[in-house]
Amino acid sequence: MHTILTIDGGGVRGIIPGVILAFLESKLQELDGEDARIVDYFDVISGTSTGGLVTAMLATPGKDNRPLFAAKEIPQFYIENCPKIFPQRKNGFLGIVAQLHGPKYGGEYLHSKIEELLGDTKIHDALTSIVIPAYDCKRNTPVIFSKSEVENNSLMDALLSDICISTSAAPTFLPPHHFQTTDSLGRTRSFNLIDGGIFANNPTLLAIQEMKQNFRINGRKIIIISLGTGSEKQDMKLSAEHLAKWNSLEWLLPLLNMQLHATADMSDSLIASIFEGSEKNFLRIQENSLTGETASVDVSTEENLQNLVEIGKGLLKKPVSRFNIKSHKFEETDGEGTNEDELTRLARILSCERRRRLRNLKAL
């Protein structure tokens, strides 16, 4: 079996997958000891934006070449640092004027914190294969950072800090990031990057593509755990007659929203088709009915951050949902229990797969 973990983008809502990862790691530790870490069980970990930061936290080597963070430390990291990354400002005329002259946040604290944590670590140093997307606004093309890409092009071996700053550079919220890489021959490449979420907020298909570069795979031979950061409850039901009266300004935000949801829907449909007949090898955990401040990517008040923690805990207790290709909706399944139950089952499979690999290594 080949194993993949993916984590969506979503700003402060990265707390939600953090809570779920903490639960999964605790189950792996029950099976394999307290030193077990998420990175030990996945061939590929992929994350976009805030998910890219979580990916780096899980896969960056720290003391004794073990992961820099245990999964249980991720929610607390967000609680402590999000208020400094996204300082809350009073709404009003001055706040609106400030946003007309640049991004909502300068990103200084985020950049310094990431650089402090990740240091000189490059993507080839990661403890497993990782995939983090960004978008090059100067070249007008997606950029996929991965360990396999480094093998083919050494100029892609960027600092993990630069990669995480780039994939988190959400337009209007944080500034684009520019950096340069240099290889052993003295060649250079310049990057001008923004948030990878503009084309792959859910990076699952990118992770599958990464796996396919090394193995011939299908849904029966791969396990994927895909963690969302939640999405806003959709109540927009508009008739053609109503839309016919809209001007260009009225269309602007709804059209962007439609495009984002259509992209997500197509991604879910394609993934579901890959796992047709092997549905239990793919688990997607996502809350699709966020409202108010919990739906925001940057409300970093203590109350909202704690609410996001509770949403993560609540997701563990919800029934497993699977994507219905006909209805284009995630629907609760009968007889599969809760997400907590399913993660516990998958933890046993992941543990058995790891033990099998370790036995094979010893035999060699």
Side-chain angles (χ1 to χ4, degrees):
M1 299 295 291
H2 307 298
T3 55
I4 290 175
L5 169 67
T6 70
I7 308 146
D8 287 14
V12 299
R13 302 199 310 257
I15 287 182
I16 296 173
V19 170
I20 295 167
L21 287 167
F23 174 81
L24 175 60
E25 192 167 86
S26 72
K27 290 299 166 182
L28 294 168
Q29 289 170 342
E30 288 177 10
L31 296 165
D32 295 329
E34 63 180 18
D35 291 333
R37 295 289 182 267
I38 292 289
V39 75
D40 299 327
Y41 299 86
F42 290 96
D43 298 309
V44 176
I45 302 178
S46 181
T48 299
S49 195
T50 196
L53 179 56
V54 173
T55 295
M57 294 167 75
L58 295 172
T60 296
K63 186 179 178 181
D64 300 325
N65 209 39
R66 296 297 290 149
L68 192 62
F69 281 81
K72 66 181 180 181
E73 297 174 309
I74 293 173
Q76 189 58 37
F77 174 87
Y78 274 79
I79 290 170
E80 291 177 1
N81 290 284
C82 280
K84 300 172 186 176
I85 297 170
F86 302 112
Q88 301 303 283
R89 300 171 179 171
K90 292 183 179 180
N91 293 323
F93 177 74
L94 291 179
I96 295 172
V97 170
Q99 289 182 50
L100 292 175
H101 289 81
K104 190 173 183 180
Y105 306 100
E108 294 87 357
Y109 180 83
L110 174 65
H111 296 184
S112 64
K113 191 65 180 181
I114 289 176
E115 289 166 356
E116 173 193 338
L117 286 173
L118 304 181
D120 295 329
T121 306
K122 291 190 173 183
I123 193 166
H124 81 263
D125 298 313
L127 296 171
T128 192
S129 293
I130 63 175
V131 181
I132 300 176
Y135 190 87
D136 196 313
C137 44
K138 190 170 185 178
R139 295 178 181 227
N140 199 30
T141 184
V143 178
I144 314 298
F145 292 99
S146 69
K147 288 189 74 170
S148 66
E149 185 65 22
V150 170
E151 294 174 3
N152 299 320
N153 182 358
S154 58
L155 288 172
M156 293 295 291
D157 194 17
L159 291 171
L160 267 178
S161 58
D162 281 325
I163 295 171
C164 287
I165 291 170
S166 299
T167 194
S168 302
T172 76
F173 289 97
L174 290 161
H177 186 53
H178 171 263
F179 65 93
Q180 185 174 281
T181 57
T182 305
D183 67 10
S184 59
L185 299 176
R187 296 175 299 182
T188 62
R189 175 170 173 175
S190 183
F191 295 88
N192 297 269
L193 303 179
I194 58 174
D195 185 2
I198 67 170
F199 71 95
N201 200 56
N202 176 352
T204 301
L205 288 174
L206 298 181
I208 292 174
Q209 183 62 35
E210 172 76 3
M211 186 72 78
K212 281 187 172 182
Q213 292 185 33
N214 299 306
F215 304 100
R216 295 185 66 183
I217 60 172
N218 57 50
R220 294 186 300 276
K221 295 183 179 180
I222 187 170
I223 289 176
I224 298 181
I225 297 176
S226 173
L227 304 180
T229 57
S231 64
E232 189 171 9
K233 184 177 181 181
Q234 295 300 303
D235 295 321
M236 186 172 62
K237 297 179 180 179
L238 301 169
S239 67
E241 182 181 12
H242 181 81
L243 294 176
K245 302 174 184 177
W246 280 14
N247 60 38
S248 57
L249 289 177
E250 288 174 309
W251 264 107
L252 189 60
L253 288 178
L255 182 60
L256 176 61
N257 192 48
M258 291 175 190
Q259 290 174 330
L260 291 173
H261 280 272
T263 300
D265 183 84
M266 293 304 297
S267 176
D268 290 330
S269 297
L270 183 54
I271 294 166
S273 68
I274 293 172
F275 285 90
E276 193 167 7
S278 307
E279 287 82 3
K280 296 192 75 170
N281 284 3
F282 176 74
L283 177 64
R284 172 74 170 164
I285 301 180
Q286 170 76 314
E287 176 58 70
N288 290 311
S289 58
L290 297 181
T291 58
E293 291 186 341
T294 61
S296 170
V297 299
D298 68 328
V299 175
S300 58
T301 62
E302 181 179 354
E303 180 184 10
N304 189 52
L305 296 176
Q306 290 297 333
N307 285 340
L308 292 171
V309 169
E310 294 306 312
I311 288 170
K313 292 178 180 178
L315 270 173
L316 290 169
K317 303 297 183 182
K318 283 193 172 185
V320 171
S321 295
R322 303 208 182 276
F323 190 78
N324 185 321
I325 294 178
K326 294 182 179 179
S327 67
H328 285 254
K329 293 180 180 179
F330 278 91
E331 299 173 352
E332 294 181 1
T333 58
D334 295 326
E336 289 196 59
T338 64
N339 289 318
E340 192 174 74
D341 295 329
E342 189 66 358
L343 285 169
T344 301
R345 180 185 74 86
L346 290 173
R348 290 194 293 269
I349 295 174
L350 291 168
S351 175
C352 288
E353 176 62 21
R354 182 178 182 234
R355 293 182 187 187
R356 182 189 66 78
R357 295 183 187 189
L358 291 174
R359 285 196 302 269
N360 289 345
L361 284 174
K362 289 180 179 179
L364 293 173

